[in-house]
Amino acid sequence: MVQEVHLLCKSQIREEQMCGIIGCVCRRDCVQLIYRGLARMAYRGYDSAGIAVCTPEGIELRREHGKLENLKTRLQREPLAGCTGIGHTRWATHGKPSESNAHPQMYGKIAIVHNGIIENYAELRQELIAKGHVFASETDTEIVAHLISEQYESSHNLVQAVRNALKCVRGSYGLVVMCADCPDELVAARLQSPLLLGVGHDESFAASDIAAALEYTKDFIFLEDGDIAHLTSQHIEISDLSGAAQNRPVKTIDWDITKAEKQGYPYYMLKEIFEQPQKITDTFRGRILEEEATVNLDEPIEKLALESCSRLQIVACGTSYHAGLLGKYMIESLARIPVDVDVASEYRYRDPIIGPNDGFIAISQSGETADTYACLKIARERGAKILAICNVMDSSIPRASDATFYTRADPEIGVASTKAFTTQLASMLLLAIYIARRRNTVDVGRARELIRALRSVPQQMEAILLKSDDIRAAAQKLLRASSFLYLGRNVNYPIALEGALKLKEISYIHAEAYPSGEMKHGPIALIDETLPVVVIAPRNSTYEKTLSNLQEVRARGGRIISIVTKGDEMLSKVSEHFFEIPECDEFVQPFLSVLYLQLLAYHIADLLGNDVDQPRNLAKSVTVE
Ligand code: AGP
């Protein structure tokens, strides 16, 4: 299975952002084709949807907030018909989920659907407003429609207009453009977001996902960064931003639909593990100021002035709690501000001490976890400043907060959280650098060093993900164990907790995590030749201490599985299995170590035949107490 994915060219899989887009130009009615294509992408998660078609009277649009069924009801009430159309399922990044922010976005004769993030949307919007443009939505996408419309009015050439407009845009996009004057044409363009073309008989498709068009054709063209495609029902022409023709091969994809939805991976969890390099890059986007060696966060976060709080209180559950715990190590060390971290279900009944001089940080992938939400309300009542770290736009916790740092992991479907966790870690380290720079507790040199180390994380992750098969081989030898012990010190202790949780959640094997130094105060009694002990021990400020703990495990015959710094012969020699991470900054080691633990848990659970995506007794979002 995994081999097949490699064949499909990785770039198509890794650079995925989560809106679903489809465009179709054909000789039959396209509305149902587009609607079914959107339904095929619904697994991605979305908060609104829309379709637009070219009719003799111009472009007609139908958009609805909420489930796809709402759009279906609307189309039944106000039917649409046409042979050229575009459709979209939206996962909000700019502008809250609503009908006006749903796509297609329109301006003049131009309609557009977009997947990605326009980084310089604020300055482009200002420039257009200065020219008298009026905006109907809060989206970054509408700005592109305005730019293309301006160009089209002067050139009356749709491809040229899209090309010129995109020269002003910075960021990522997979987009499809339709024009009222060009009923048999679509223009598609791609930069850092997935976009592929479907080659049909008397019809052509553009889509962000194979699943959307697989029902209509098995022949696909995968666009590369910078490609612009001109589609008619009879042919497809590809060029680049300079206008030079580009030649792209047609690939036949012999997949069934479910396989397509997982992009060839057997489980969403594995797909999401492999998406992490890209999601980390997306979470950095527009937030790192390399020159100034600092971090740029949204205005509402700036207004919170967390740097002047006397204390920060982080509250969360499960995996998000582990991210918060790591955040404590980072923020206290870099920003020198005291940080408390609590499990929400305990915090809410502890009559916690918190007030106006405190910052309260709620971390939640879903934004709907009941215990975390309840804690936020307590902090609100007691006057604290509220920041949410969340992955779902406009969910309950962000809506109740003063400001939100959105992780850009896109929808996470596997119950066991993976990509949301590492993007939460990225948000914690960015926040730590941000506060530290404002409190002058970190100088430019150290900040630059940290930012450089962060920037290299996606690539270092890529290298580790290539070792998935080696980890599966180790999993084969470990899956009969009845219990595991995970050990880590300092920043690696929360990673030990996360590794143990991942294994428990999906393999149903008991696992416990301990700070390595705490082992001799009890758990060392568990150690014998049957107990796998996973020790996270890369070279860092507590390496020597961890080494002695590891000797204690070895002395009692424990089965050592170690995560070490590349070339660490000493530890690898005493380990039954060892996994290497590159020499790197202590604060980025957790991003790399956790990949091994996610994959180890995944392969053990898969080899045991468990349903890795829907493990027993667990829900993706715990909305009850
Ligand atoms: C993690 O894999 C679990 N799904 C679970 O522990 C989860 O982290 C916890 O329920 C918190 O969810 P949240 O981040 O959506 O608030």
Side-chain angles (χ1 to χ4, degrees):
M1 185 68 67
V2 175
Q3 299 317 320
E4 200 173 292
V5 170
H6 293 314
L7 287 171
L8 182 66
C9 79
K10 272 194 185 162
S11 70
Q12 290 302 333
I13 292 182
R14 296 274 162 82
E15 289 158 1
E16 175 172 28
Q17 270 130 6
M18 268 311 188
C19 296
I21 58 178
I22 178 166
C24 166
V25 51
C26 55
R27 294 260 170 98
R28 52 184 169 152
D29 180 51
C30 68
V31 175
Q32 274 316 307
L33 303 189
I34 292 174
Y35 184 84
R36 283 212 297 273
L38 293 179
R40 290 262 175 255
M41 294 187 280
Y43 75 92
R44 298 161 155 244
Y46 58 94
D47 48 54
S48 53
I51 292 181
V53 294
C54 252
T55 71
E57 293 73 46
I59 292 178
E60 284 221 36
L61 182 67
R62 304 280 185 275
R63 301 183 302 199
E64 281 298 328
H65 179 205
K67 291 285 162 225
L68 207 51
E69 286 64 38
N70 299 353
L71 180 63
K72 190 175 188 174
T73 315
R74 176 81 181 279
L75 287 168
Q76 281 155 352
R77 218 179 37 247
E78 301 163 53
L80 273 181
C83 296
T84 299
I86 53 178
H88 187 270
T89 51
R90 181 171 185 249
W91 172 259
T93 56
H94 285 82
K96 64 181 181 310
S98 65
E99 191 279 333
S100 62
N101 288 337
H103 297 202
Q105 287 287 321
M106 283 195 65
Y107 186 73
K109 296 177 180 161
I110 300 297
I112 180 172
V113 288
H114 167 231
N115 176 20
I117 296 171
I118 307 298
E119 279 178 29
N120 58 338
Y121 80 98
E123 67 217 57
L124 290 170
R125 192 183 171 99
Q126 286 317 315
E127 286 163 19
L128 289 162
I129 288 173
K131 285 194 242 171
H133 285 243
V134 178
F135 289 88
S137 79
E138 303 159 313
T139 66
D140 51 348
T141 304
E142 187 188 353
I143 286 143
V144 183
H146 285 242
L147 292 172
I148 296 170
S149 171
E150 266 200 338
Q151 294 292 336
Y152 181 73
E153 290 313 322
S154 54
S155 67
H156 291 287
N157 173 316
L158 186 56
V159 179
Q160 194 54 47
V162 172
R163 188 174 289 129
N164 292 346
L166 292 179
K167 287 178 183 156
C168 319
V169 165
R170 262 201 336 274
S172 64
Y173 52 77
L175 52 85
V176 187
V177 182
M178 185 164 73
C179 175
D181 292 354
C182 321
D184 183 32
E185 297 176 54
L186 290 176
V187 174
R190 177 220 150 121
L191 185 67
Q192 293 275 336
S193 275
L195 198 65
L196 41 94
L197 308 176
V199 185
H201 181 64
D202 282 343
E203 51 198 28
S204 304
F205 298 86
S208 53
D209 191 312
I210 290 171
L214 195 62
E215 190 186 340
Y216 317 124
T217 176
K218 300 252 183 253
D219 297 327
F220 291 93
I221 297 173
F222 294 91
L223 292 181
E224 297 298 336
D225 279 349
D227 284 356
I228 296 181
H230 182 217
L231 289 74
T232 70
S233 59
Q234 299 309 306
H235 72 276
I236 292 175
E237 258 173 37
I238 302 171
S239 58
D240 65 11
L241 271 180
S242 71
Q246 300 295 315
N247 187 12
R248 301 283 177 240
V250 177
K251 291 190 177 165
T252 301
I253 305 290
D254 189 16
W255 278 357
D256 65 35
I257 287 292
T258 48
K259 204 168 169 183
E261 284 167 352
K262 293 180 187 129
Q263 311 243 336
Y265 288 94
Y267 285 104
Y268 287 113
M269 181 183 177
L270 190 64
K271 174 175 169 278
E272 289 158 4
I273 288 175
F274 274 78
E275 285 175 355
Q276 293 179 95
Q278 184 59 45
K279 301 307 155 194
I280 299 273
T281 306
D282 293 342
T283 301
F284 292 161
R285 206 179 291 286
R287 289 169 167 160
I288 293 181
L289 303 176
E290 215 95 33
E291 282 309 299
E292 301 89 327
T294 190
V295 169
N296 167 43
L297 297 181
D298 298 350
E299 205 195 322
I301 301 177
E302 228 169 83
K303 276 213 188 101
L304 271 183
L306 292 174
E307 64 273 13
S308 57
C309 290
S310 52
R311 179 178 70 103
L312 298 179
Q313 172 69 57
I314 298 177
V315 168
C317 302
T319 287
S320 297
Y321 166 75
H322 299 152
L325 199 52
L326 197 38
K328 171 186 172 70
Y329 289 86
M330 293 167 171
I331 297 171
E332 287 193 343
S333 166
L334 296 172
R336 310 310 294 154
I337 184 172
V339 179
D340 294 332
V341 187
D342 279 276
V343 169
S345 51
E346 281 302 308
Y347 186 83
R348 67 184 289 185
Y349 294 112
R350 219 191 53 228
D351 190 12
I353 301 167
I354 188 159
N357 298 331
D358 298 324
F360 179 92
I361 302 177
I363 307 180
S364 175
Q365 185 285 127
S366 62
E368 301 297 348
T369 299
D371 285 323
T372 308
Y373 188 28
C375 295
L376 186 157
K377 288 186 197 152
I378 295 170
R380 164 73 64 213
E381 281 154 22
R382 298 179 188 190
K385 300 170 179 185
I386 313 280
L387 173 69
I389 310 264
C390 188
N391 192 46
V392 180
M393 172 74 78
D394 217 44
S395 49
S396 304
I397 288 174
R399 278 207 308 276
S401 303
D402 300 316
T404 300
F405 184 122
Y406 281 106
T407 53
R408 296 185 183 135
D410 286 320
E412 189 174 64
I413 297 168
V415 166
S417 182
T418 53
K419 60 177 181 173
F421 178 65
T422 48
T423 57
Q424 286 167 348
L425 295 189
S427 66
M428 287 282 104
L429 192 47
L430 289 174
L431 192 64
I433 298 168
Y434 172 85
I435 298 173
R437 295 292 279 131
R438 276 159 180 72
R439 291 168 63 91
N440 293 320
T441 51
V442 159
D443 63 24
V444 174
R446 176 65 178 135
R448 189 158 280 128
E449 197 181 80
L450 276 167
I451 285 171
R452 207 171 291 128
L454 253 181
R455 276 269 189 237
S456 44
V457 165
Q459 210 183 349
Q460 292 166 330
M461 280 183 155
E462 297 272 9
I464 288 173
L465 291 170
L466 292 176
K467 299 178 185 162
S468 181
D469 294 348
D470 305 344
I471 301 161
R472 192 171 181 87
Q476 193 73 50
K477 301 206 177 84
L478 294 165
L479 58 83
R480 295 284 161 239
S482 59
S483 181
F484 279 64
L485 180 62
Y486 287 72
L487 298 175
R489 265 183 189 268
N490 204 312
V491 290
N492 292 310
Y493 168 51
I495 296 303
L497 285 168
E498 181 55 13
L501 178 62
K502 288 285 97 66
L503 188 73
K504 281 182 274 199
E505 279 189 278
I506 57 176
S507 75
Y508 317 146
I509 298 173
H510 175 260
E512 200 163 0
Y514 257 76
S516 311
E518 189 58 14
M519 184 184 58
K520 51 187 173 296
H521 302 284
I524 195 165
L526 296 170
I527 296 177
D528 62 20
E529 57 293 335
T530 66
L531 182 74
V533 181
V534 180
V535 185
I536 302 142
R539 282 213 189 86
N540 61 23
S541 58
T542 55
Y543 174 71
E544 302 300 329
K545 304 295 176 205
T546 308
L547 210 52
S548 59
N549 300 129
L550 203 136
Q551 300 303 0
E552 290 154 6
V553 173
R554 183 150 180 256
R556 288 155 185 80
R559 301 176 68 185
I560 297 172
I561 296 99
S562 59
I563 301 196
V564 302
T565 297
K566 192 169 177 48
D568 185 336
E569 304 241 328
M570 188 151 64
L571 278 189
S572 46
K573 252 207 277 10
V574 297
S575 305
E576 183 180 325
H577 304 282
F578 68 92
F579 304 114
E580 294 180 322
I581 66 169
E583 187 83 45
C584 60
D585 192 282
E586 186 154 354
F587 284 133
V588 298
Q589 289 175 344
F591 291 86
L592 307 177
S593 307
V594 78
L595 294 181
Y596 285 116
L597 305 183
Q598 292 169 348
L599 283 166
L600 184 63
Y602 168 81
H603 286 304
I604 288 176
D606 184 40
L607 287 163
L608 288 170
N610 296 353
D611 180 343
V612 171
D613 282 343
Q614 301 289 337
R616 69 187 186 195
N617 309 341
L618 286 176
K620 181 64 188 167
S621 178
V622 184
T623 54
V624 292
E625 234 194 295

